[in-house]
Amino acid sequence: MSREFNGRPLELLAPAGTFGIYKSMIRSSCDAIYCGGQVLNMRMIRKGYNFSHDELKEAVFLAREVGKKIYITINSLIDEKEISQAEDYLGFLEEIRPHALIVQDAAILDIVRESGMTLPLHSSVMMNVHNAEMIRFLARQGVERVVLSREMTLQEVRLLAEQTDVELEYFTHGDMCVTHGSQCLYSSYLFGMSSNRGRCLKPCRWPFTNLDGEKPFPLAVKDLSLYSHLGDLVLAGISSLKIEGRMREKEFILDLVNRYGGALDRFLDDPLGGAQADAGEIEEFKKRDYSTGYAFGNPGIENINTRGEGSGQFYSTGKMFSTPTQEKEISLSIPPEEVPFQPEAGLSLKMTVRVNTVAQARLALDCGADRIYLSAEPFAPDRPASFQEIQALYGECSQQGRELFLALPRMMKAGQIELFRAYFNKKPALTGVLAGHAGIFEMIDVREYSIVCDSAMNLYNARAVGFYTARGASGWTASLELPFDSLAALPGDVKSRGGSLRGEVVLHGLPGVMYMDHDVSRIQEDQISLETQVSRLTLRRDWWDRSHLLPHKELCLLPRLPALVNGGYRFFRLELQAYTLSDSESIMKTYRQALDEPARAVEFFHTLKSCSGGYTYGAHQF
């Protein structure tokens, strides 16, 4: 089977969760199949699914026998302890020669480059590719296809197709996450079960209320279905139409793929008369209400699901993934077992602070901050600082020997890219930028401005750090999802690979645990509360109308500060965007003292007064 449109190859890409499903799917109307092995992929939570090495080898053989393609996912974040396993697994995949690998962690790009592997690479949706700069950056690293962010409209996709030469893949049907790809940390914050490692327990599907009398609703979106818009997808320049469903049963997913294949063929056979398939033809596959997602614009609150699996049940058992659970409070009744703190001579620990406004930045200077990250996506009602305000602030920082960075939005579509490009063409006085996505390396000249990788870039291991350091990053921030032992060891792992010691850890604050475009308030409220049965979270809207879900309890690693210093960290960040000036001042003064006297960290911890629901180690407690 070979599909094309005006000479351009097209592909219907189908999922297979087991080898049994795969053997049936290979005879279906799809052109290619994606699947995963027993390790390092994003579908690790259902028992009995995924492929053994022998099954993967046979799957590649079967695909070549019938003239179809197979893509193997190695698309989870990789712990340092799993690097050797990843290297061995990649070696095996190089031997069996699937048509491509689907990857998320930059460590995989680094291993592939260093080992001289020749397998084609596709970037996973978990790379959250959403602008031409990201595509160009990935193309330079050998990526031949990108799975686009689920939040891209088809109009935006068409623009990317015109501006780049990389193949574009787009989700066409299935279960979609409410947050931007790789930007949901709540499962790991609560349970240590990372959605970026295929272990999400879906707290988004708990019942939430927003205190306005409405009935509880999940933060789960309707199923995507573009069955009636296949022609629109093709005209947007998409090469691969992807169906989600690796955890679906065989009969369900096989019949769905064949239905899509038939509709696509009718369009290709008759582009005018067959342009729009009847949505009623797939009504029987409805698990949740259907939506066109972001294909034709931001769907807003109407995309939130209120029926069926929106309750958070497993497909196979009908049980809930998880039930409403409180964020775990820090307990010092049993002190952590750690190596005794032995400070080196001349130890200097740097306090870095992310702030919302210039006024908060000046307060940070007064409180002894060594580096300020001034947010370019401030929480409303505040606006981004003006060019003149930043110039004045930089002058004040320079006089005191401090650094000023602009913290760029973690998601920047074409319009924002153009605004920031125009801004930097004016050569603003800044030390550098805090980068939330890889496209920044195409925008910013590292000879003019330092680039520090933010936690949003999900640096989970030393190879990923080395990958970005080799491309000009002068600093990096550890992932907020790392277990504590891995977090503390990461600077040493980086050093052992000859990398930079300028690693940074988020020590305190209210980091966003979900980052999304949905306006749950319906009326663009700057701030609302969302309650579960056990806690209250806060949803903050930023200047660009994106929403940040903040946890109930503040992340606080102060009691573990000696262990982090022992591990090699010298930069410690306070995430204070959501705090008032008075609360910010109190927190910064305490942490300045603690960083000057880290041996007294537990003593200083007991002087803190929570500004929210208490303190937690978040994912770092696991």
Side-chain angles (χ1 to χ4, degrees):
M1 181 183 299
S2 177
R3 293 185 170 105
E4 63 175 36
F5 180 77
N6 287 338
R8 175 166 57 88
L10 285 179
E11 171 184 280
L12 180 63
L13 178 57
T18 69
F19 187 53
I21 295 173
Y22 179 91
K23 288 188 289 185
S24 297
M25 190 65 75
I26 202 73
R27 308 293 176 184
S28 75
S29 62
C30 72
D31 303 284
I33 300 173
Y34 66 103
C35 55
Q38 297 290 337
V39 295
L40 306 179
N41 93 77
M42 285 291 296
R43 292 292 183 268
M44 298 297 294
I45 207 163
R46 186 170 179 181
K47 294 180 180 179
Y49 272 58
N50 296 313
F51 292 40
S52 69
H53 277 34
D54 287 342
E55 288 171 338
L56 287 175
K57 185 175 183 179
E58 187 174 351
V60 172
F61 173 80
L62 291 175
R64 297 191 183 281
E65 188 176 50
V66 299
K68 296 191 177 183
K69 294 182 178 181
I70 176 174
Y71 309 137
I72 296 177
T73 61
I74 178 167
N75 59 343
S76 69
L77 294 182
I78 300 172
D79 190 274
E80 191 68 32
K81 303 180 186 69
E82 298 168 334
I83 290 294
S84 61
Q85 180 185 41
E87 292 170 338
D88 292 343
Y89 187 42
L90 284 167
F92 164 72
L93 296 176
E94 178 79 354
E95 290 178 5
I96 66 172
R97 304 295 301 174
H99 294 86
L101 305 180
I102 303 174
V103 306
Q104 175 189 185
D105 199 310
I108 300 299
L109 299 178
D110 195 56
I111 294 170
V112 168
R113 176 193 57 79
E114 187 176 275
S115 64
M117 290 177 59
T118 57
L119 282 175
L121 299 175
H122 297 175
S123 72
S124 166
V125 71
M126 301 306 286
M127 279 192 169
N128 197 26
V129 176
H130 57 271
N131 58 54
E133 282 66 23
M134 293 185 75
I135 294 175
R136 294 186 186 108
F137 175 83
L138 290 170
R140 294 181 197 279
Q141 320 313 319
V143 172
E144 298 181 8
R145 177 188 293 182
V146 298
V147 186
L148 291 170
S149 164
R150 297 174 289 249
E151 288 75 23
M152 300 296 293
T153 68
L154 293 184
Q155 184 177 1
E156 291 165 338
V157 172
R158 180 64 179 263
L159 184 62
L160 294 180
E162 293 171 351
Q163 293 177 336
T164 65
D165 297 323
V166 173
E167 292 182 354
L168 306 180
E169 184 173 307
Y170 193 86
F171 275 100
T172 306
H173 189 103
D175 181 4
M176 299 293 111
C177 291
V178 70
T179 65
H180 293 291
S182 78
Q183 299 303 307
C184 184
L185 312 180
Y186 201 34
S187 179
S188 60
Y189 201 80
L190 287 159
F191 306 113
M193 300 288 281
S194 169
S195 61
N196 287 308
R197 285 171 55 78
R199 295 169 172 85
C200 184
L201 292 185
K202 301 189 183 298
C204 59
R205 295 190 181 177
W206 298 342
F208 291 84
T209 58
N210 63 1
L211 307 182
D212 64 0
E214 291 189 354
K215 70 176 184 178
F217 58 90
L219 284 176
V221 297
K222 297 175 182 178
D223 273 358
L224 176 68
S225 176
L226 295 173
Y227 186 77
S228 298
H229 301 281
L230 299 179
D232 295 316
L233 293 166
V234 173
L235 290 173
I238 294 165
S239 299
S240 179
L241 284 62
K242 186 172 193 171
I243 294 176
E244 183 276 335
R246 278 199 282 148
M247 296 295 100
R248 294 292 189 181
E249 302 293 345
K250 181 174 75 172
E251 290 74 17
F252 175 93
I253 196 63
L254 185 64
D255 290 347
L256 178 67
V257 168
N258 282 328
R259 202 69 56 90
Y260 264 86
L264 182 58
D265 287 337
R266 288 194 297 274
F267 165 73
L268 295 175
D269 290 341
D270 184 0
L272 298 180
Q276 187 166 7
D278 182 359
E281 296 172 356
I282 57 168
E283 187 70 17
E284 66 190 89
F285 301 101
K286 182 182 285 185
K287 292 293 185 178
R288 307 174 184 84
D289 289 336
Y290 285 146
S291 164
T292 56
Y294 285 80
F296 304 102
N298 189 330
I301 189 67
E302 299 306 320
N303 201 35
I304 298 294
N305 181 60
T306 57
R307 67 182 291 277
E309 292 173 358
S311 61
Q313 297 174 337
F314 277 104
Y315 305 142
S316 54
T317 65
K319 296 180 180 179
M320 294 291 287
F321 282 83
S322 61
T323 55
T325 303
Q326 289 187 350
E327 297 153 18
K328 188 176 180 182
E329 182 73 21
I330 290 175
S331 173
L332 297 181
S333 57
I334 303 177
E337 294 183 8
E338 291 170 350
V339 176
F341 181 54
Q342 297 179 336
E344 62 188 44
L347 179 68
S348 176
L349 304 183
K350 306 298 184 181
M351 184 171 80
T352 72
V353 187
R354 191 197 305 250
V355 297
N356 208 53
T357 65
V358 170
Q360 198 180 18
R362 290 197 168 102
L363 181 61
L365 283 178
D366 293 340
C367 292
D370 298 286
R371 176 185 293 170
I372 293 170
Y373 297 121
L374 178 61
S375 179
E377 56 176 4
F379 294 152
D382 293 310
R383 60 165 178 78
S386 70
F387 192 88
Q388 292 75 19
E389 288 174 317
I390 289 180
Q391 306 315 288
L393 181 60
Y394 178 79
E396 296 169 35
C397 290
S398 296
Q399 289 176 3
Q400 301 178 49
R402 319 292 176 79
E403 296 178 320
L404 177 63
F405 282 68
L406 191 63
L408 299 177
R410 68 178 84 176
M411 189 159 185
M412 299 167 65
K413 292 189 177 180
Q416 285 176 284
I417 291 287
E418 290 305 306
L419 288 173
F420 280 98
R421 179 176 285 115
Y423 182 84
F424 280 98
N425 284 341
K426 293 181 177 294
K427 308 298 181 184
L430 291 164
T431 309
V433 298
L434 185 64
H437 62 81
I440 302 302
F441 289 86
E442 292 291 309
M443 285 179 56
I444 301 296
D445 187 340
V446 296
R447 296 168 298 183
E448 295 182 350
Y449 298 102
S450 297
I451 298 178
V452 173
C453 296
D454 198 5
S455 57
M457 294 184 69
N458 294 320
L459 300 185
Y460 211 82
N461 55 69
R463 291 207 72 138
V465 171
F467 173 85
Y468 285 109
T469 301
R471 283 147 188 83
S474 61
W476 53 272
T477 313
S479 167
L480 288 166
E481 295 193 290
L482 280 164
F484 188 79
D485 287 349
S486 297
L487 175 70
L490 187 53
D493 296 330
V494 171
K495 184 178 180 180
S496 69
R497 291 190 55 80
S500 166
L501 281 178
R502 295 176 67 85
E504 190 166 337
V505 64
V506 176
L507 198 59
H508 189 104
L510 286 167
V513 292
M514 291 187 191
Y515 179 66
M516 53 192 172
D517 276 1
H518 291 289
D519 174 27
V520 177
S521 76
R522 296 180 184 268
I523 55 173
Q524 291 190 317
E525 289 278 1
D526 294 343
Q527 176 175 332
I528 64 170
S529 294
L530 290 178
E531 286 200 345
T532 70
Q533 296 170 5
V534 296
S535 65
R536 177 181 294 183
L537 295 87
T538 302
L539 197 67
R540 296 293 302 267
R541 183 175 67 88
D542 69 29
W543 172 259
W544 307 100
D545 288 333
R546 295 194 175 97
S547 296
H548 305 243
L549 187 69
L550 308 182
H552 182 57
K553 296 183 188 297
E554 297 168 79
L555 176 66
C556 178
L557 297 184
L558 184 52
R560 312 300 300 274
L561 176 59
L564 294 169
V565 176
N566 282 346
Y569 288 100
R570 298 296 181 263
F571 290 79
F572 297 88
R573 188 187 308 168
L574 310 180
E575 291 279 359
L576 301 186
Q577 262 193 269
Y579 291 80
T580 65
L581 289 178
S582 59
D583 288 339
S584 298
E585 182 177 20
S586 176
I587 292 168
M588 288 188 288
K589 286 181 176 179
T590 298
Y591 274 90
R592 184 66 272 173
Q593 289 178 292
L595 292 173
D596 291 339
E597 300 181 76
R600 298 174 59 196
V602 173
E603 177 185 337
F604 288 118
F605 171 74
H606 288 299
T607 70
L608 287 172
K609 294 182 180 179
S610 177
C611 303
S612 187
Y615 298 115
T616 181
Y617 290 138
H620 303 317
Q621 66 195 292
F622 299 101

